[in-house]
Amino acid sequence: MHKHFSEQTSNTGQILGLIDNMQEEERLMLVKEVLNPVGHDLLVTPKEIDQFIEDIANIIASGLNAALHDAVSVENVAAYTH
């Protein structure tokens, strides 16, 4: 990171502030601490994941309803889920 900014400008102190004076290992530890605030790893997912999860949940719920309840058939399975 420091090397990248050094190649771009000679004024790294204004861009990096206190980080400019830190050793590389300290910077990496700081970044890990900031990105891991609650002790869990973060995961980036696509925007469509919420809709996909809802669709899969609906399919599973419909299958369970049809398998466990005699009154549920292929024609009326949608009436029991949203």
Side-chain angles (χ1 to χ4, degrees):
M1 176 174 69
H2 188 271
K3 181 181 173 186
H4 171 76
F5 283 117
S6 296
E7 292 171 357
Q8 303 300 318
T9 182
S10 62
N11 203 1
T12 58
Q14 285 186 334
I15 295 171
L16 299 174
L18 291 174
I19 296 174
D20 191 35
N21 298 327
M22 297 174 116
Q23 297 296 322
E24 187 69 21
E25 186 176 317
E26 290 177 301
R27 278 186 236 140
L28 290 174
M29 287 174 47
L30 177 63
V31 169
K32 286 179 182 178
E33 183 179 338
V34 169
L35 292 179
N36 200 6
V38 292
H40 302 289
D41 292 330
L42 301 177
L43 179 68
V44 177
T45 59
K47 292 186 288 187
E48 299 84 15
I49 194 70
D50 292 333
Q51 185 62 48
F52 176 75
I53 296 296
E54 186 175 336
D55 292 345
I56 293 298
N58 194 25
I59 290 169
I60 293 169
S62 296
L64 287 171
N65 280 337
L68 298 173
H69 302 289
D70 292 333
V72 178
S73 66
V74 175
E75 293 80 26
N76 68 359
V77 71
Y80 297 99
T81 57
H82 68 299

